[in-house]
Amino acid sequence: MRTQDAAGQPRAGWSDHLRERFAGEPLKAVSLKVDGLRQPRFERRGEFVITRTGIEGSLVYAASSWLRDDIARHGSASLTLDLLPDHSSERVMAELRHPRGSRSLASHLKSRLGLHGAKAALLYEVLSREQMADPVWLGAAIKALPLTLAAPRPIDEAISTAGGVRLEAMAPNLMLRRLPGVFCAGEMTDWEAPTGGYLLTACLSSGRVVGGGVLDWLRQQA
């Protein structure tokens, strides 16, 4: 999957069918892996959502720093999806080779492996018709489906952003060492955390530290 754009959520270039039929659909109980220059590599189980322009959601946010670094260095980032992390490769192959009689491949995937909806659509998106008909190709893709992302979404669509004031530029009370009386908190600082409750908690906690630092600094100026 090739894509192009700039900053926030990595995106993929989908077919019209996938965009119209499955945009907004979640992929649950999948495993996402990123191999690259960065160590340790990223691998986690969770869920994400297919959008009209790519992918987003908690699992993508967790991998975003790995994906962003690879895009910055190489112009694209590669990831693989295990669509059935609870199934071994051997079990997947056994189910695919089970005789399906007059049933369609889609019906076979649904009845034997529970693969349907957005997960099945991704397989059809990535593999050719010949590869879909080949149990070896199909089994390998179910356990390691490759996606290539070329760029994140624009910054005005981002839930949160990376970068900011480096921690070493601030005193323990989060006041800028070179600008006394100026404090930074939350996403003004250069740190990353999972989006959602963790991020909010960290932002509120740093705000409390800054509040105490401001009071102490004002007392010293009196």
Side-chain angles (χ1 to χ4, degrees), residues 103-184:
R103 287 184 305 179
S104 67
L105 177 58
S107 296
H108 189 62
L109 290 174
K110 183 176 182 180
S111 64
R112 301 302 304 185
L113 291 168
L115 265 176
H116 59 97
K119 286 186 178 182
L122 272 183
L123 289 170
Y124 283 98
E125 189 79 3
V126 174
L127 300 182
S128 68
R129 182 174 298 181
E130 293 74 21
Q131 290 170 336
M132 287 292 296
D134 184 332
V136 175
W137 269 101
L138 182 55
I142 289 172
K143 295 299 292 179
L145 186 69
L147 296 179
T148 299
L149 309 177
R153 293 293 298 160
I155 196 168
D156 58 356
E157 296 180 17
I159 293 174
S160 60
T161 59
V165 179
R166 292 184 177 276
L167 295 179
E168 55 265 30
M170 296 176 285
N173 62 1
L174 301 184
M175 182 175 71
L176 292 177
R177 298 184 187 278
R178 294 188 177 183
L179 292 173
V182 178
F183 295 78
C184 298

Side-chain angles (χ1 to χ4, degrees), residues 9-182:
Q9 295 306 320
R11 73 170 187 129
W14 305 128
S15 66
D16 291 341
H17 171 74
L18 193 76
R19 279 198 302 271
E20 298 303 324
R21 178 65 180 83
F22 293 101
E25 289 287 320
L27 273 82
K28 298 185 177 183
V30 298
S31 179
L32 187 153
K33 182 169 70 172
V34 181
D35 289 317
L37 297 176
R38 200 166 150 183
Q39 294 294 330
R41 69 184 184 183
F42 177 90
E43 185 170 6
R44 188 173 302 177
R45 177 171 170 160
E47 61 182 76
F48 66 91
V49 176
I50 294 176
T51 71
R52 292 185 63 84
T53 55
I55 58 176
E56 66 177 26
S58 57
L59 192 55
V60 180
Y61 302 147
S64 62
S65 63
W66 278 262
L67 298 172
R68 187 183 65 242
D69 288 351
D70 282 351
I71 289 171
R73 289 191 182 103
H74 311 298
S76 66
S78 298
L79 62 87
T80 56
L81 296 174
D82 185 343
L83 299 177
L84 295 175
D86 291 329
H87 291 48
S88 67
S89 297
E90 292 76 16
R91 179 181 173 186
V92 169
M93 289 304 304
E95 297 293 353
L96 290 176
R97 287 183 167 134
H98 191 278
R100 59 185 173 101
S102 60
R103 287 184 305 179
S104 67
L105 177 58
S107 296
H108 189 62
L109 290 174
K110 183 176 182 180
S111 64
R112 301 302 304 185
L113 291 168
L115 265 176
H116 59 97
K119 286 186 178 182
L122 272 183
L123 289 170
Y124 283 98
E125 189 79 3
V126 174
L127 300 182
S128 68
R129 182 174 298 181
E130 293 74 21
Q131 290 170 336
M132 287 292 296
D134 184 332
V136 175
W137 269 101
L138 182 55
I142 289 172
K143 295 299 292 179
L145 186 69
L147 296 179
T148 299
L149 309 177
R153 293 293 298 160
I155 196 168
D156 58 356
E157 296 180 17
I159 293 174
S160 60
T161 59
V165 179
R166 292 184 177 276
L167 295 179
E168 55 265 30
M170 296 176 285
N173 62 1
L174 301 184
M175 182 175 71
L176 292 177
R177 298 184 187 278
R178 294 188 177 183
L179 292 173
V182 178

